[in-house]
Amino acid sequence: MTFRPLHDRVLVRRIEAEEKTAGGIIIPDAAKEKPSEGEVIAAGEGTRDEDGDRIALDVKVGDKILFGKWSGTEVKINGEDLIIMKESDILGILG
């Protein structure tokens, strides 16, 4: 199954957090927070302004992004856990 987000929505794959701290301490699963970092794997075409002109998204497929902890809606597509969110939920693009 293929999925194409509509308007200003993007499909994001979470980037998993490290299981060890820089000092070598292993973080147990119960203490891990969901990461707020991900990769855009699909993006809509953008919204339209009052004149009907398309406003393109600032993010594109392949961008690494930061997003709010509770942003988006979790979905399962082809057995993979992904997130659909509006572009406005994205805090920034990692360079």
Side-chain angles (χ1 to χ4, degrees):
M1 168 174 60
T2 60
F3 180 82
R4 183 175 57 95
L6 298 176
H7 309 293
D8 64 340
R9 289 181 176 77
V10 294
L11 187 63
V12 175
R13 176 184 298 122
R14 281 188 192 276
I15 297 175
E16 295 301 323
E18 293 292 323
E19 296 192 14
K20 277 199 256 185
T21 65
I25 299 171
I26 297 175
I27 304 169
D29 287 339
K32 289 182 191 172
E33 290 187 20
K34 287 190 174 185
S36 58
E37 196 172 314
E39 179 183 0
V40 176
I41 58 173
E45 295 180 358
T47 57
R48 295 198 180 265
D49 63 14
E50 293 174 1
D51 297 327
D53 296 325
R54 187 166 305 278
I55 302 171
L57 299 180
D58 290 328
V59 297
K60 62 186 180 310
V61 173
D63 282 347
K64 302 273 190 275
I65 60 167
L66 289 177
F67 53 90
K69 185 175 181 179
W70 306 108
S71 298
T73 302
E74 293 186 4
V75 296
K76 187 171 275 206
I77 298 175
N78 295 333
E80 185 176 11
D81 291 325
L82 303 170
I83 305 166
I84 299 172
M85 65 180 67
K86 287 186 166 251
E87 185 185 38
S88 60
D89 291 337
I90 297 172
L91 304 174
I93 301 171
L94 296 170

